[in-house]
Amino acid sequence: MPLPPRTALEAIYEVVMATIQRAEPALTELGLTMSTTYALWAIDPDEPPPAMKVVAQRLRCTSSSLTFTSNRLVELGYITRTECPTNRRTRVLALTPPGRAAREAALNALDKACPLLRLSDGERAGLLDVLTRALAEAE
């Protein structure tokens, strides 16, 4: 049992860890780990396929870590990794139809598992506002 959080950072950590723990069975059914889930999350299906460098920046990881993670997603049939049509030296990651479905299922599982669902809509909106401002000020 975790200790009660004493700081906002500890509380954020506990929310994330509880969410991951509760969502893990659903993610496992999809063949996903948190690393592969994060990678799917970083590929927005409503945008053009991003370059691997862009996805690595979104995930705050190295290119080699993303290569390892993307290899697994390619094996699962969730993404393709192809040459960028405008720059042959760059690789882009695109969701496949099964990848879009897995991404949606994984994000739904995380949403349902999140302890923040206990808060009202207004409380969650306020929390989002505070965290968004904190992140904007950090950059």
Side-chain angles (χ1 to χ4, degrees):
M1 188 77 185
L3 294 171
R6 294 171 296 174
T7 66
L9 180 60
E10 287 177 3
I12 290 168
Y13 173 82
E14 290 301 332
V15 166
V16 169
M17 296 310 294
T19 301
I20 291 169
Q21 185 178 33
R22 293 173 185 163
E24 192 173 27
L27 300 179
T28 299
E29 276 187 42
L30 295 165
L32 298 172
T33 62
M34 276 313 301
S35 294
T36 53
T37 300
Y38 286 141
L40 285 180
W41 194 344
I43 303 170
D44 187 335
D46 297 327
E47 293 181 357
M52 286 188 64
K53 180 179 181 178
V54 170
V55 175
Q57 289 169 341
R58 288 177 183 171
L59 297 173
R60 294 172 171 83
C61 73
T62 64
S63 294
S64 60
S65 293
L66 180 58
T67 297
F68 177 80
T69 302
S70 64
N71 284 344
R72 179 67 183 137
L73 291 170
V74 168
E75 289 170 12
L76 289 167
Y78 289 162
I79 65 168
T80 59
R81 186 177 47 229
T82 58
E83 211 173 73
C84 177
T86 59
N87 181 350
R88 294 178 46 196
R89 293 175 295 159
T90 302
R91 300 276 179 227
V92 295
L93 301 178
L95 294 167
T96 63
R100 285 175 180 258
R103 181 184 189 275
E104 185 175 341
L107 295 183
N108 285 336
L110 289 168
D111 282 342
K112 289 178 185 173
C114 185
L116 298 177
L117 286 177
R118 295 183 190 135
L119 302 177
S120 71
D121 290 345
E123 289 171 324
R124 287 194 307 275
L127 180 59
L128 175 59
D129 180 58
V130 168
L131 294 173
T132 300
R133 282 188 287 130
L135 288 170
E137 291 170 9
E139 294 176 11

